[in-house]
Amino acid sequence: MSAESLKVLAKLKTTVRSYFPDAPLEIIDRAFAFSEKAHEKQKRSSGDPYIIHPTEVALSLAEMNLDIATIITGLLHDTVEDTGVTLEEIQVNFGKDVAELVDGVTKLSKITFRTTEEKQAENFRKMIIAMAKDIRVILVKLADRLNNMRTLKYLAPEKQQRIAQETLDIYAPIANRLGIGWLKIELEDLCLRYLHPDVYTKLGELVAKKKAVRDKFIESFTELLKERLEEYEIKAQISGRAKHFFSIYKKMDRRKVDFDQIHDLIAFRIVVDNITECYKSLGVIHAAFKPVPGRFKDYIAMPKANSYQSLHTTVIAEGGDRIEIQIRTQEMNSVADSGIAAHWKYKEGRFVAKTTGGKSNENVEWVNRLLEWNKDLSDPAEFLETVKIDLFAEDVFVFTPKGEVKELPYGATPLDFAYCVHTNVGNMCVGAKVNGKIVPLKYRLKSGDTIEVITNPQGQPSKDWLKIVKTSRAKAKIRAVIKQQERDRALQIGKDLLEKALKPFGLSQSKIEKSGDFDRLWKDHLSLRSPDELFIGLGYGRIYPERAIEFIVPKDAQEKKLELAKGADETFLKKVLNAAKRKTESKNAILVADLDDILIRFGRCCSPLPGDSIVGFITRGRGVTVHTSTCTKAIDSDQARRVDVQWNRGTVSTGLRRQVRIRILCLDQPGLLAVMSQTISACSVNISSANIRTTKDKKAIAVFDVEVADIQQLTKVTSALEGKKGVISVERVKS
Ligand code: MN
């Protein structure tokens, strides 16, 4: 046992007791002993026994007045990662809460930040917050990082640089977002020390050199401020301090100035009783000293996203020095120092996190306040990131194999990731590995996953992917490819169709191309932009082959030429010539997936009614034919031509009527036909034909062709008929 670590342990317990008088200190002793034993064989780079590190981390957490579970987690945070200790052991010894916190910290330790791109840093910070799930996990991680930074001098220079850069990019900003001012400042200054040692040393000298002068100045200016405020009966605590190195460095860097040109090294803080006094003090100070224009900031009326509130101003003191002054209440001061930790409250024997959990009213209020403040925030990204602490469940953050972080919505799959990387990666995706293991394409990504997309140049998106992907980007890209595929198919069908239509007249595409008729057809006659548009139009059924024939072959010659043509496919041609005459009334009743403006026909075999389950098939030259999904013709059709169709609910009630045939078996009674006709008409259904015949066994079979709007109306008719005396059965039959 090391004396040093025991000293820290004692300090830890004193600190905990200071804000939690009845704290169960024996648990702390137990966790210390447990951790010390687990880390027994390890040493810090400094040569100290390892236990000093977790104990100091726990002490930092105690200095933030955190709850016992967090303190214990601080003591145990490296045991699962570095030693043979399991989460089960931790749960058995210290409970579920601690086990979950240690698990969270361990998971965070496993991910590393590998790029220096600012955008990536932003995503990585979000990832940390998203993965932590519990704000206490982040606080432990920050305390861990702080201790590592404080002991960084024992590491090799390259390691120092890497860790300092990561701290500056990731952890100091997180501390800032959480509003923990002191931690952000200390981390930044430590980073400066390792990243720019020359600047750090020089600033240190400068600040030290002027220390005596500065101390005297602070004393006299404090006195001056106090006097002025007392004249107006404002009670205030006033403190002056040298600004932290990193903020001076940033200022120098931003203004491109040298050390000598940095005058405002000192900042004053005035803490008063209430908000009224804040503004009153500001008035008093501005009356006494000349304020620097443009330097006044009212973060009380418009708090920062991280809850920071204060008045900021810069005034010019006698002698011309610029003095920065912050004015705030005691409460604002504690939020500025401890941030989110200041929202923790010791209530009825336990600590309650006011800002996490998502259920308490106070928490909702906190988010609402953030939303309100957002109106005045200059940087919406800053706001969003803060709120995400509460709302992070909506996103996942994953790695590319190169260590880049990608943000995807919750529920995203490897396909979404592939399309997020690049459209071609998505289109050629044939599989995916997550953390080195092959997963199905519908696997749901988790924060921290590393995804590797397996591609094949021959790979192609499939329609089923639309059901798997979550992001609209992926959906749009997949739809575009499918649309292109269908366009290509329509184009081929169109070419085929034109060739067939021309053949009876002894013509072919190449012949009419030579004669110039082809160009005149698509350009002048049909006003299209390209020959492809003609073929696609033919393929989709938007243009009838007849229109081409009409134009190319003079009308009077059509019939004659038809007779002359050898090997003419007469039936086919008749079909072509008749196609135009068919009404397209049904077009708007059906929605075809991914295809616009397409001719719709209903299979006469099954006569689908709105409400029936339906399927569509692309047909040569006549758009899409719709069958009921149980129709034998649909089952026998080429499944490659199958397209998704659905009833357009908006047009069902617009008066479209479909004809269906119903067959009624009944007893042969006089007047039955009249009864049935009346029954059908009473349902507002039109009868287009009726037929009745009798059978030998004194029964009658009536067949009606009726016009109904949808399946509901048909059901109404059939059940009305079934209810009539003498009716044995009613069924819908093929016409
Ligand atoms: Mn650690």
Side-chain angles (χ1 to χ4, degrees):
M1 230 179 243
S2 89
E4 185 58 29
S5 60
L6 285 178
K7 241 203 251 163
V8 181
L9 175 65
K11 199 173 169 200
L12 168 64
K13 288 194 280 189
T14 317
T15 310
V16 172
R17 190 163 264 163
S18 72
Y19 64 93
F20 188 4
D22 320 322
L25 296 181
E26 73 281 358
I27 301 178
I28 294 180
D29 283 325
R30 226 160 23 89
F32 176 85
F34 185 95
S35 182
E36 190 179 40
K37 185 155 185 298
H39 291 295
E40 198 170 37
K41 297 197 177 82
Q42 282 176 283
K43 286 236 186 298
R44 292 289 281 172
S45 302
S46 58
D48 289 328
Y50 198 88
I51 186 65
I52 190 85
H53 164 68
T55 315
E56 278 173 341
V57 169
L59 176 59
S60 291
L61 293 165
E63 281 163 356
M64 288 191 248
N65 294 7
L66 294 176
D67 66 330
I68 290 293
T70 312
I71 309 288
I72 302 296
T73 304
L75 285 165
L76 304 174
H77 79 273
D78 277 330
T79 54
V80 173
E81 170 95 8
D82 297 346
T83 75
V85 170
T86 65
L87 282 172
E88 288 71 40
E89 282 174 73
I90 290 185
Q91 180 160 347
V92 167
N93 284 285
F94 303 100
K96 204 173 162 220
D97 198 18
V98 170
E100 277 173 5
L101 291 173
V102 171
D103 188 33
V105 179
T106 307
K107 276 185 182 142
L108 284 190
S109 305
K110 282 188 182 139
I111 59 170
T112 48
F113 181 64
R114 282 178 280 171
T115 67
T116 49
E117 231 183 289
E118 179 48 29
K119 174 83 181 79
Q120 284 299 307
E122 176 82 0
N123 278 344
F124 195 83
R125 291 193 289 265
K126 287 186 191 167
M127 180 190 241
I128 300 247
I129 290 168
M131 280 185 75
K133 294 198 175 78
D134 187 322
I135 215 85
R136 292 177 295 177
V137 169
I138 299 176
L139 295 173
V140 175
K141 188 71 198 161
L142 287 173
D144 177 37
R145 180 52 61 118
L146 175 68
N147 189 254
N148 287 336
M149 284 302 295
R150 281 174 177 170
T151 55
L152 203 58
K153 64 178 170 199
Y154 300 108
L155 296 187
E158 318 83 77
K159 249 189 161 175
Q160 289 177 347
Q161 294 272 321
R162 187 181 64 73
I163 293 172
Q165 190 64 52
E166 186 187 72
T167 304
L168 192 62
D169 289 340
I170 308 297
Y171 294 100
I174 289 178
N176 183 41
R177 292 295 195 241
L178 300 185
I180 313 166
W182 70 268
L183 182 56
K184 173 208 169 213
I185 287 169
E186 186 171 347
L187 286 176
E188 282 180 348
D189 279 357
L190 285 165
C191 291
L192 186 70
R193 181 166 156 193
Y194 291 98
L195 293 174
H196 302 281
D198 46 332
V199 176
Y200 185 85
T201 315
K202 243 183 170 175
L203 279 174
E205 281 165 8
L206 192 73
V207 170
K209 193 168 72 192
K210 293 188 175 171
K211 192 175 186 303
V213 183
R214 195 180 63 233
D215 285 351
K216 219 175 145 202
F217 177 78
I218 288 175
E219 201 181 309
S220 65
F221 197 75
T222 303
E223 206 47 50
L224 203 58
L225 283 173
K226 207 172 214 159
E227 273 171 32
R228 291 294 154 100
L229 292 172
E230 268 168 9
E231 278 174 36
Y232 292 88
E233 285 161 2
I234 300 169
K235 262 189 279 166
Q237 296 162 18
I238 303 169
S239 57
R241 65 195 161 85
K243 289 212 273 196
H244 83 284
F245 288 7
F246 192 79
S247 76
I248 301 170
Y249 165 73
K250 262 207 307 208
K251 197 169 265 180
M252 282 167 55
D253 200 45
R254 202 170 47 230
R255 296 201 205 141
K256 300 273 166 255
V257 295
D258 209 11
F259 293 104
D260 305 337
Q261 290 165 275
I262 290 286
H263 299 294
D264 40 351
L265 292 176
I266 303 168
F268 284 85
R269 184 172 299 163
I270 298 174
V271 178
V272 293
D273 285 344
N274 54 51
I275 291 178
T276 316
E277 306 256 285
C278 289
Y279 288 103
K280 218 165 137 189
S281 309
L282 180 78
V284 171
I285 289 161
H286 278 184
F289 307 97
K290 193 170 179 265
V292 178
R295 294 298 301 271
F296 170 62
K297 298 248 166 60
D298 187 349
Y299 294 120
I300 290 179
M302 287 171 281
K304 289 193 185 182
N306 61 17
S307 305
Y308 177 87
Q309 284 187 295
S310 191
L311 297 176
H312 286 191
T313 188
T314 302
V315 297
I316 296 170
E318 278 168 79
D321 280 335
R322 290 152 65 109
I323 313 289
E324 230 178 76
I325 299 174
Q326 302 169 342
I327 308 164
R328 53 178 79 149
T329 65
Q330 189 56 57
E331 200 194 330
M332 291 172 193
N333 200 39
S334 89
V335 169
D337 271 347
S338 348
I340 237 155
H343 295 274
W344 292 73
K345 272 257 170 96
Y346 182 65
K347 257 190 209 164
E348 289 143 19
R350 57 188 285 262
F351 283 86
V352 184
K354 290 208 283 182
T355 55
T356 54
K359 279 183 191 81
S360 78
N361 280 336
E362 282 162 298
N363 181 47
V364 172
E365 224 173 80
W366 189 65
V367 173
N368 284 342
R369 239 161 64 212
L370 281 169
L371 286 167
E372 232 174 75
W373 298 342
N374 180 42
K375 287 180 210 146
D376 310 309
L377 275 177
S378 52
D379 181 8
E382 182 182 59
F383 159 75
L384 265 183
E385 192 180 4
T386 313
V387 166
K388 283 266 169 72
I389 296 165
D390 285 73
L391 308 177
F392 50 57
E394 288 169 18
D395 297 297
V396 290
F397 300 88
V398 295
F399 287 110
T400 68
K402 283 182 186 158
E404 266 182 62
V405 184
K406 300 277 181 194
E407 179 179 359
L408 291 163
Y410 179 79
T413 63
L415 275 174
D416 289 295
F417 173 82
Y419 277 101
C420 173
V421 171
H422 195 277
T423 305
N424 286 342
V425 175
N427 286 340
M428 295 190 295
C429 174
V430 290
K433 279 184 184 174
V434 169
N435 306 327
K437 275 186 208 142
I438 300 253
V439 295
L441 285 179
K442 61 175 193 232
Y443 171 88
R444 289 188 162 204
L445 302 177
K446 291 195 289 288
S447 278
D449 279 349
T450 299
I451 328 292
E452 191 186 328
V453 179
I454 305 164
T455 58
N456 182 325
Q458 261 83 54
Q460 265 194 350
S462 108
K463 237 177 197 174
D464 299 335
W465 287 11
L466 288 170
K467 288 176 201 139
I468 296 172
V469 297
K470 179 89 185 168
T471 53
S472 47
R473 179 191 161 85
K475 272 188 189 143
K477 298 288 179 191
I478 294 166
R479 279 210 186 95
V481 175
I482 289 172
K483 204 161 183 170
Q484 184 59 45
Q485 286 169 348
E486 278 176 354
R487 216 178 125 88
D488 292 348
R489 205 158 61 194
L491 187 110
Q492 199 45 54
I493 292 171
K495 278 188 176 170
D496 229 17
L497 205 56
L498 183 66
E499 207 61 53
K500 273 193 178 168
L502 291 168
K503 203 177 163 197
F505 304 105
L507 294 168
S508 69
Q509 196 192 319
S510 60
K511 272 187 192 163
I512 61 169
E513 260 172 27
K514 269 182 211 145
S515 69
D517 278 347
F518 183 69
D519 280 354
R520 280 192 288 277
L521 169 66
W522 64 263
K523 235 185 254 168
D524 309 330
H525 185 57
L526 298 169
S527 312
L528 301 173
R529 276 166 302 179
S530 71
D532 279 2
E533 262 185 43
L534 169 65
F535 295 132
I536 290 161
L538 285 165
Y540 276 158
R542 287 196 293 257
I543 301 167
Y544 306 113
E546 188 218 25
R547 289 193 69 188
I549 303 301
E550 253 174 13
F551 176 72
I552 293 164
V553 186
K555 240 185 184 121
D556 55 334
Q558 281 182 28
E559 292 296 324
K560 216 170 140 197
K561 281 210 176 178
L562 175 58
E563 279 163 32
L564 292 173
K566 276 182 185 169
D569 180 349
E570 209 178 317
T571 340
F572 175 77
L573 194 71
K574 269 187 189 154
K575 265 192 211 161
V576 167
L577 291 172
N578 286 332
K581 282 148 203 151
R582 233 170 246 132
K583 292 277 179 221
T584 62
E585 55 155 27
S586 46
K587 194 169 103 179
N588 294 327
I590 294 284
L591 299 174
V592 180
D594 310 308
L595 297 174
D596 304 321
D597 190 25
I598 188 156
L599 179 70
I600 301 288
R601 296 170 66 247
F602 291 104
R604 281 207 277 174
C605 40
C606 52
S607 241
L609 270 182
D612 276 337
S613 162
I614 47 172
V615 289
F617 291 91
I618 294 188
T619 58
R620 295 197 165 225
R622 275 169 287 118
V624 169
T625 302
V626 175
H627 294 279
T628 62
S629 45
T630 51
C631 175
T632 48
K633 225 176 152 188
I635 294 160
D636 293 342
S637 291
D638 177 8
Q639 297 300 312
R641 291 172 178 275
R642 187 174 163 154
V643 286
D644 287 340
V645 289
Q646 62 184 85
W647 294 103
N648 186 354
R649 303 213 170 271
T651 60
V652 165
S653 56
T654 56
L656 169 73
R657 290 285 182 273
R658 307 260 319 122
Q659 185 168 305
V660 291
R661 180 165 290 180
I662 46 179
R663 185 172 169 272
I664 305 153
L665 179 66
C666 53
L667 298 174
D668 186 13
Q669 291 167 344
L672 203 60
L673 186 62
V675 169
M676 287 189 285
S677 303
Q678 278 160 20
T679 309
I680 295 168
S681 300
C683 297
S684 321
V685 168
N686 192 35
I687 302 167
S688 43
S689 82
N691 208 319
I692 193 158
R693 65 185 166 89
T694 52
T695 61
K696 282 174 201 158
D697 55 350
K698 293 258 172 189
K699 284 178 190 147
I701 295 167
V703 175
F704 287 90
D705 284 336
V706 295
E707 289 170 356
V708 293
D710 54 26
I711 196 90
Q712 281 81 13
Q713 200 178 18
L714 180 66
T715 312
K716 202 171 140 196
V717 170
T718 52
S719 36
L721 287 169
E722 276 166 352
K724 292 294 161 193
K725 210 177 143 196
V727 172
I728 299 162
S729 70
V730 183
E731 57 181 347
R732 179 177 167 190
V733 291
K734 286 181 182 175
S735 46

